[in-house]
Each structure stands twice: as C-alpha cells, then as structure tokens.
Amino acid sequence: MSGLKVLSVASEIFPLVKTGGLADVAGALPGALVREDVDMRTLVPAYPAVKQKLGDAETVHEYADLFGAPARVIAGRTGELDIFALEAPHLFDRPGNPYLGPDGTDWPDNARRFAALARVGADIGLGELEAFRPHVVHAHDWQAGLVPAYLRYSGRPAPGSLITIHNLAFQGHFPASIFWELGLPDAAFTVDGVEYYGGVGYLKAGLALADVITTVSPTYAREIQTREFGMGLDGLLRTRAAAVYGILNGIDEAVWNPSTDPALEQTYNPLRIDMRGRNKAALQKRLGLALSVDRPLFAVVSRLSGQKGLDLLLHALPRIVDRRGQLALLGSGERWLESGFADAAASRPGSVSCVFGYDEKLAHLFQSGADFILLPSRFEPCGLTELYALRYGATPIVSRVGGLNDTVIDSNEAALAAGVATGVQFAPPSVEALSDAIDRAFSLHHDPAAMRRLRLNGMRADVSWRGPAKRYAELFRAIARTAA
Ligand code: ADP
Ligand code: GLC
C-alpha cells in the first residue's frame, strides 16, 4: 500500500513542548517516515506554548461539549511537522509543565485531560476529518492509552492501532469513578478492557486493546515481560507477547549534529575531533569549573528522578573528584536530588557544578564538551541522551539495562581488540559497580589513543531514524485499515 496515513497521538512534541525523550521521538519520527511513504500527522493538546508556536491555524473540527466545555481541533504546520492541536481551554490552557500544576503535583483532572486527547485521537481515526483519514493510529504512553479503547468500543470499523511504551513507570491509573465520564459502554469496564485493579488503567487499556505494542528497545521489550521490570503489567504483556516489538529510537540528525550545531562554541566532525576541546573549555567556563584540558569532565543531562540512578552517582562522586575529575550536571526534577547535588557542588567548588532547570541549548553544549556522559539508570526504556553522546563524541558510561544495553558497546577486552567499543557499561546499577566503571573511565582517559578510538566509533555509529522508521512502517502496513 502506498501513501499510508498515520495519526500519532502524543502529549508532547519537540519543538513545541518537551519534558523528555517522548517529545524528541514524537517530533522526529514523522520526518523519518517520509522516505517510507508514510504521512504521519500528530495530535497534541493545545497548551499555551503549542498555540503560540503554531500561530495561524485553521479549525478543522468542533465539539459542543468535550468533557465539560466546548473544544475544537486546529490544524497547522511547524517546520516539517503537520500538527492537529486540541484546543480545549478548560483542559489545556495552563502554563508550565504539561502534567504538573504550580505545586509540582499532577493536575487533579489529568484523567479527564488525557481521556479527551484520546477521545479526539480516536474520532480522527474513525474518519471524522474529511481531510485526513488515517489507516493507523499510533498512541504514545498512558496519555494516549485510551485511544485503542475508544476505537475498539466505537462499534464502527476502526483503523489499526499501535501503542508505544516509552516508560512503564507512568501508567495513568485512576479511580473507577472516572469511568462514567469516559463515554465508553459498560462492557469496557472489564479485565479485558479498561478496568485495572478496580479502577481505570489508561496504559493498561492501550496494552490490552491495541493491535500492536511497541517499546523503545529490544532489551526493554524483554525486561517489561518480567516481574522485576514489569511494574505490575508484566502478566498482561506476557499474554500479548506475540504482539510486542522492541524498536530502538533514533535521533534527529538535523537537530543533533556537531558539525552544524549553533549551540556549540565550536562545531566539529570526526576528522576534527580535537576541536571538541574548545567546547570543553566553554563548558568549564560557563559552569565555573576550573579550566583544564587534562582533568576528565564527567557530565549528566537528565531528569532528576529515581529512574535515572543519580543517587548512586552522589555516593560514587568521591571516585571522580578525589582523582581530580570534574562533574557538570544539568537537570531538573525531584528536590532531594537537587539538594544532594547542590551540596556536592558547594563543598567541591571548581570540581562539581550544577545547573538546575531545563535548558535545551545548554544540553547541546554539555554533549559537545564533556569527556564522559553518565547514565547510571535503574531502568531505561531507550535513553536518547547516550545516543546524543555517541553522536557528539562524548563517551557514555551506562548501566546495562534497557536501551542502554542495546546502544552502547562496552570497552571490554574483546571489543577494544576488535576496535568497536563505544563506551563503558556496568551492572548492576549499584554504587560499587558505578564506582568501578568510573575507575575504568579514568584508565581509558589515560590512554589518548584508546579514547580517540572510542569517540570516533561513537560518532560513526548509526543512531539515525532510518532503520527504526523502516520497522515502524512495516508494522503500520501490517495493521493498516481504513475506517468506513
Ligand atoms: P527521558 O525521556 O527518560 O527523560 P531520554 O534520554 O530519552 O530520557 O530523553 C531525555 C531528553 O531530555 C534528552 O533530549 C535530553 O537532552 C533532555 N533533557 C533532560 N533533562 C534536561 C535538562 N535539564 N535540560 C535540557 N534538556 C534535558
Ligand atoms: C522515556 C524513557 C526513555 C526514552 C524516552 C523516549 O521517557 O524514559 O528511556 O528514551 O521515553 O522513548
């Protein structure tokens, strides 16, 4: 089938709104699918930032009442992206983070907000928009988890549905009372439908009802079917094992390209890798770290959450600073981690420096200037940060979980001898194993030829969307149907 149409439904998309990797994926996949002859358009909530960046947009659909008030769908274009934005001011016209209120906790009506998003995604899937009748709806994470439910229980011929798990830790589990607001038939409130432990599970519904389930790495696809990583959904995922696929994320090579990146002090490429040094100096200067060519600079760019294992790093920090290494951190998130790193920076001026907050541009400078990027994650569905690190010649040091297992080649003896290593892996995610990995990084750092090899291997690794986009396109074609 040529000219396949796919509607992607996502709660964030780069460059309009981003809190993490989901936005990068939602923003890059449509462009990568063009060469697969897939026309992907994306439905996102019209948060203020989205409305502002979309500018002139045309109304393509109206609701007299969507979860309590009128709403409409507007269609616009930004860069290469075709966007449908759900303008429902009572649900989405709120500043700041898409999920959290000003006090840092979930908006109390998130169940309604993301049911509305899914509802509209399903309506478009069912052919409500003359101009775009998709063959497949691609739902991302719990925020779009109800899309397959709305399709399945519509009682109408529905398009194919695919759900991607970016992170099983967030499941959208709400009290049963919300069910009566969803507009689904009573028959949907069963263990085969949306019911989950007496309440409604949005991600669970998607996993139970989508034609195909993907997650963002082959290793995570296996891990989530185990008790250890399954977060309560492993049983369901095992029953659906034949429909579960692991497809690695790629990176947007136009946005993350060290030879053209305007956020860098100095652009470079594999042939001019030594020029990275100017970015290292710029980063040290910007963060108030001691200027030094030789001291290895370890860096973190991350959400500060338990998932990312940064508490392990706090404990392993002496291994870095006692040997005159430096640590630069860019992160935002949980307070206890912020204060832990703030204390570390205060007691080790010149060696440890932190920027708390979200700064897209600075993230690029980090990747271009750091010697090593640390990801001691307890679990990591894919991780884009290590892919950016590879591309930018910053050597990733990662725990051997999820996508980190699939994207970084450990510098063990065999890999070094074969000349294929790209980073350092360690297991399990513990202070001891991380400390050992840091020691290994110091040894590598003392061997400039080995270091250079690692960086070049990383920069030349294929971390593009080409392979992954092909795999998504194959799955889309396998489940393609048109409604009506
Ligand atoms: P996750 O989605 O779990 O946060 P990923 O590694 O997939 O992890 O994606 C994280 C994305 O968010 C990357 O693009 C990374 O550069 C970016 N990022 C994380 N924290 C920050 C921050 N404080 N400032 C700027 N960018 C950040
Ligand atoms: C999630 C995961 C991360 C992944 C990203 C994009 O936020 O935590 O590992 O890279 O989604 O798929």
Side-chain angles (χ1 to χ4, degrees):
M1 191 189 303
S2 71
L4 199 75
K5 294 193 179 75
V6 179
L7 177 73
S8 168
V9 183
S11 55
E12 46 185 278
I13 185 167
F14 182 84
L16 299 179
V17 51
K18 166 169 168 179
T19 71
L22 165 60
D24 288 350
V25 172
L29 187 53
L33 284 166
V34 171
R35 59 190 288 158
E36 304 300 326
D37 203 14
V38 174
D39 175 6
M40 177 177 267
R41 310 202 182 176
T42 309
L43 174 70
V44 288
Y47 313 110
V50 170
K51 278 204 65 174
Q52 190 211 334
K53 288 186 192 141
L54 267 192
D56 276 348
E58 152 202 24
T59 302
V60 291
H61 197 63
E62 285 182 294
Y63 290 87
D65 181 357
L66 183 73
F67 288 86
R72 61 186 186 133
V73 179
I74 55 179
R77 208 174 147 79
T78 174
E80 301 292 299
L81 293 170
D82 280 303
I83 302 286
F84 295 121
L86 171 55
E87 201 180 286
H90 59 302
L91 302 173
F92 298 119
D93 190 8
R94 305 173 195 179
N97 183 293
Y99 318 116
L100 312 175
D103 63 353
T105 62
D106 289 353
W107 288 110
D109 57 349
N110 273 351
R112 229 169 273 134
R113 299 171 77 222
F114 294 105
L117 178 70
R119 174 68 202 268
V120 173
D123 285 348
I124 298 175
L126 291 165
E128 290 295 326
L129 296 190
E130 195 72 40
F132 190 72
R133 296 218 158 102
H135 303 94
V136 175
V137 183
H138 182 182
H140 295 273
D141 272 352
W142 75 265
Q143 292 90 343
L146 287 183
V147 171
Y150 279 119
L151 292 175
R152 178 71 64 92
Y153 294 107
S154 67
R156 291 159 56 184
S161 60
L162 181 150
I163 185 160
T164 297
I165 304 170
H166 294 270
N167 196 333
L168 208 54
F170 304 104
Q171 299 187 356
H173 189 192
F174 301 105
S177 51
I178 187 70
F179 180 76
W180 311 109
E181 293 185 43
L182 297 179
L184 287 166
D186 293 1
F189 196 70
T190 64
V191 302
D192 300 323
V194 307
E195 190 271 340
Y196 189 54
Y197 288 109
V200 177
Y202 284 22
L203 181 61
K204 182 262 166 171
L207 300 182
L209 298 166
D211 295 324
V212 163
I213 299 165
T214 68
T215 187
V216 288
S217 68
T219 296
Y220 196 59
R222 285 193 300 277
E223 287 171 344
I224 55 177
Q225 298 181 50
T226 65
R227 273 184 77 104
E228 190 189 350
F229 290 95
M231 304 201 174
L233 286 166
D234 46 296
L236 170 59
L237 286 162
R238 282 194 299 275
T239 67
R240 299 228 53 205
V244 176
Y245 297 83
I247 305 178
L248 277 177
N249 291 330
I251 72 171
D252 188 328
E253 293 179 308
V255 178
W256 294 91
N257 181 350
S259 62
T260 56
D261 194 331
L264 308 194
E265 175 75 16
Q266 171 70 58
T267 55
Y268 57 95
N269 61 38
L271 300 176
R272 309 199 142 199
I273 198 165
D274 297 334
M275 297 173 83
R276 290 184 90 253
R278 295 187 56 179
N279 293 311
K280 178 170 174 178
L283 186 56
Q284 287 169 325
K285 197 162 158 219
R286 168 91 186 257
L287 271 89
L289 291 165
L291 273 180
S292 161
V293 180
D294 303 327
R295 295 175 69 176
L297 176 54
F298 295 77
V300 171
V301 179
S302 184
R303 288 186 292 119
L304 303 180
S305 83
Q307 170 189 346
K308 302 293 179 180
L310 295 169
D311 48 317
L312 306 176
L313 177 60
L314 274 177
H315 287 104
L317 204 51
R319 285 291 175 109
I320 295 180
V321 286
D322 291 353
R323 297 177 67 179
R324 300 192 67 252
Q326 295 178 319
L327 177 76
L329 175 138
L330 169 60
S332 64
E334 293 170 21
R335 295 262 154 73
W336 64 286
L337 284 166
E338 266 192 31
S339 60
F341 280 102
D343 290 348
S347 62
R348 306 281 198 158
S351 294
V352 178
S353 178
C354 304
V355 177
F356 298 115
Y358 195 92
D359 188 333
E360 191 70 33
K361 204 169 158 221
L362 188 55
H364 288 240
L365 186 64
F366 265 62
Q367 295 284 7
S368 68
D371 292 307
F372 298 99
I373 295 282
L374 288 159
L375 284 112
S377 305
R378 292 194 165 84
F379 68 94
E380 194 62 71
C382 178
L384 292 167
T385 313
E386 83 281 13
L387 301 182
Y388 300 139
L390 291 171
R391 186 91 171 91
Y392 278 63
T395 299
I397 301 176
V398 305
S399 55
R400 192 179 299 126
V401 292
L404 302 176
N405 181 43
D406 298 328
T407 54
V408 175
I409 302 177
D410 180 52
S411 329
N412 59 40
E413 288 300 318
L416 286 174
V420 296
T422 59
V424 175
Q425 287 190 339
F426 64 92
S430 67
V431 176
E432 294 71 32
L434 171 59
S435 303
D436 287 350
I438 290 169
D439 288 348
R440 289 175 60 203
F442 272 95
S443 306
L444 289 165
H445 191 74
H446 287 139
D447 182 348
M451 231 25 257
R452 191 182 170 81
R453 180 84 257 159
L454 281 184
R455 293 195 202 294
L456 285 175
N457 287 346
M459 291 186 78
R460 289 178 176 143
D462 181 3
V463 291
S464 75
W465 269 108
R466 279 183 292 279
K470 216 177 245 328
R471 301 213 43 215
Y472 276 105
E474 279 162 16
L475 289 178
F476 291 148
R477 284 183 211 292
I479 60 173
R481 290 188 296 267
T482 23

